[in-house]
Amino acid sequence: MARGPGLPLRSLPLLLLLLLAAVAGQAAAQDNCTCATNKMTICSRERPGGRCQCRALGTNFEVNCSSLTSKCLLLKARMSARKSGRALVRPSEQAIVDNDGLYDPDCDHQGRFKARQCNQTSVCWCVNSVGVRRTDKGDQSLLCDELVRTHHILIDLRHRPTDRAFNHSDLDAELRRLFRERYLLPPRFVAAVHYEPPTIQIELRQNASQKAPGDVDIADAAYYFERDVKGESVFAGRGGLAVSVRGEPLLMEPPLIYYLDEKPPQFSMKRLTSGLVAVIVVVVLALVAGVAVLVVTNWRRSGKYRKVEIKEMGELRREPSL
Ligand SMILES: *[C@@H]1O[C@H](CO)[C@@H](O)[C@H](O)[C@H]1NC(C)=O
Ligand SMILES: *[C@@H]1O[C@H](CO)[C@@H](O)[C@H](O)[C@H]1NC(C)=O
Ligand SMILES: *[C@@H]1O[C@H](CO)[C@@H](O)[C@H](O)[C@H]1NC(C)=O
Ligand SMILES: *[C@@H]1O[C@H](CO)[C@@H](O)[C@H](O)[C@H]1NC(C)=O
Ligand SMILES: *[C@@H]1O[C@H](CO)[C@@H](O)[C@H](O)[C@H]1NC(C)=O
């Protein structure tokens, strides 16, 4: 008897909490001012019922939540979120990290990469439209007269083992649907999907004359895809990437991405670091000798290079023997 009324009394705080959560949840549902395509934003309405405005972290740039946010703004937001990590340790000055692809970029008024990027010191370099360095590093006198467009992107990845290989045409259709529906990329820019189990290659092509105003850029679609595959989705509350081909889940491993620009990159061999030279030499040798299989799988296994840029402008083979 004495226990009867005791129970509800003890669980009162819990009930109150639940009630509060429910009320808060409802308020959020009524005022769901969030950015579906970019969770690294701060959204607000000037007044209740007013327009929901979302601004990218780190820049205050207003983003369009019906479309993808540019890679430049996403990188910037990522770096600004990283800076605020006060509870974290700072790696030693001597620690080496391959952060060539991850820096705090300068974006122009449209959110695109500025052709010239500098770090906080006086070191500058030129980048292409995906923000990848395409010249040697120089000082502040370095000039980059235009933003060179990356018009061809090759995404190369493997899927996890499955009992049977996927049917190529079904896989092709599924990946094209993914790029159209999730990344809003018009289908004409997905040039090809190659498949030789377990390697999948997706080729995106888009030159300046083909791209209409408002079209998603292949640079941004590829970046959203890369983050999705790595389990770091940029989309807000949409769940991770879930692709299946005829009911069979397609689980993808982190991709290698190759970028080809409309103009050849400008590196002087002698000023490259030895590591980079080794990579380039290996790529060149591999292409010449036709042993790309070995080299690429080794890179992937070592997991050391998250991104590899092809510095040579040799035509990508349409059907590499991967
Ligand atoms: C809020 O949610 C409703 C229904 O889920 C949806 O129709 C509406 O577009 C959402 N508004 C915003 C700003 O996301
Ligand atoms: C946002 O993007 C969508 C889809 O590309 C486009 O239709 C719309 O006009 C854009 N809105 C603004 C304000 O630019
Ligand atoms: C800028 O780049 C140079 C050379 O890569 C490096 O030595 C320096 O530490 C960098 N500075 C910052 C603030 O990242
Ligand atoms: C793949 O599936 C399509 C129908 O979805 C079929 O026409 C085609 O023959 C299949 N290909 C193979 C290699 O099984
Ligand atoms: C753009 O691509 C189309 C189709 O691939 C091609 O016909 C055209 O010549 C290209 N334009 C430029 C400037 O490269």
Side-chain angles (χ1 to χ4, degrees):
M1 277 296 266
R3 277 180 131 195
L7 196 62
L9 254 184
R10 253 181 288 139
S11 45
L12 198 63
L14 184 68
L15 279 175
L16 270 177
L17 262 183
L18 282 177
L19 200 71
L20 267 178
V23 169
Q26 210 161 34
Q30 273 166 8
D31 195 7
N32 53 347
C33 175
T34 56
C35 189
T37 55
N38 183 353
K39 64 182 176 195
M40 307 194 67
T41 47
I42 295 174
C43 303
S44 65
R45 295 181 202 280
E46 295 112 68
R47 54 201 153 75
R51 193 168 67 91
C52 173
Q53 256 188 339
C54 298
R55 297 182 177 278
L57 286 177
T59 49
N60 262 354
F61 200 100
E62 186 176 348
V63 300
N64 181 346
C65 298
S66 313
S67 187
L68 301 190
T69 303
S70 71
K71 181 178 176 184
C72 190
L73 294 176
L74 290 175
L75 267 188
K76 191 107 190 143
R78 202 171 172 192
M79 296 309 284
S80 89
R82 186 170 279 227
K83 268 182 211 146
S84 67
R86 271 191 228 130
L88 306 175
V89 296
R90 178 177 286 275
S92 137
E93 293 284 320
Q94 274 89 45
I96 298 169
V97 61
D98 169 24
N99 62 1
D100 216 49
L102 190 60
Y103 58 98
D104 189 10
D106 282 332
C107 310
D108 72 6
H109 62 283
Q110 292 177 292
R112 297 174 313 183
F113 287 98
K114 284 190 179 165
R116 192 178 81 151
Q117 299 287 334
C118 302
N119 68 5
Q120 279 72 26
T121 60
S122 52
V123 181
C124 299
W125 60 91
C126 307
V127 299
N128 56 20
S129 58
V130 295
V132 171
R133 184 161 68 87
R134 46 171 279 115
T135 62
D136 294 329
K137 290 182 180 173
D139 58 20
Q140 279 181 324
S141 65
L142 180 74
L143 293 177
C144 308
D145 7 299
E146 50 161 357
L147 183 69
V148 175
R149 189 170 168 75
T150 298
H151 65 143
H152 185 182
I153 297 180
L154 177 71
I155 303 171
D156 182 311
L157 50 76
R158 289 171 168 218
H159 64 75
R160 300 263 174 79
T162 50
D163 292 341
R164 283 182 303 124
F166 293 106
N167 172 319
H168 186 169
S169 60
D170 292 345
L171 177 71
D172 181 293
E174 203 52 53
L175 288 171
R176 285 175 193 268
R177 192 185 61 77
L178 177 74
F179 273 83
R180 185 179 69 245
E181 292 179 3
R182 191 168 169 97
Y183 309 117
L184 310 170
L185 186 69
R188 64 182 186 281
F189 301 131
V190 180
V193 174
H194 309 284
Y195 181 46
E196 191 163 312
T199 301
I200 301 171
Q201 294 181 316
I202 306 165
E203 278 190 77
L204 307 179
R205 283 179 189 264
Q206 182 188 56
N207 60 27
S209 52
Q210 292 169 306
K211 187 180 174 220
D215 275 350
V216 164
D217 198 293
I218 54 172
D220 303 331
Y223 187 62
Y224 268 76
F225 176 73
E226 179 186 351
R227 297 284 299 270
D228 263 344
V229 172
K230 288 180 177 166
E232 306 168 346
S233 183
V234 179
F235 292 109
R238 205 190 275 198
L241 186 62
V243 186
S244 58
V245 181
R246 296 224 169 234
E248 176 90 35
L250 170 65
L251 299 172
M252 293 175 276
E253 291 178 358
L256 278 172
I257 305 185
Y258 301 86
Y259 304 103
L260 261 94
D261 296 349
E262 284 179 348
K263 290 183 177 172
Q266 294 157 345
F267 290 105
S268 64
M269 281 304 222
K270 64 177 190 298
R271 281 172 64 185
L272 293 175
T273 65
S274 58
L276 212 46
V277 171
V279 170
I280 291 169
V281 170
V282 168
V283 168
V284 173
L285 282 181
L287 290 182
V288 169
V291 293
V293 184
L294 187 75
V295 175
V296 171
T297 47
N298 279 345
W299 281 341
R300 194 178 280 127
R301 278 204 202 104
S302 77
K304 222 169 161 185
Y305 297 90
R306 269 190 282 157
K307 255 183 224 166
V308 173
E309 314 154 25
I310 291 192
K311 312 286 196 195
E312 295 297 311
M313 284 299 288
E315 188 51 37
L316 282 174
R317 293 188 299 156
R318 286 201 66 80
E319 302 205 63
S321 52
L322 294 182

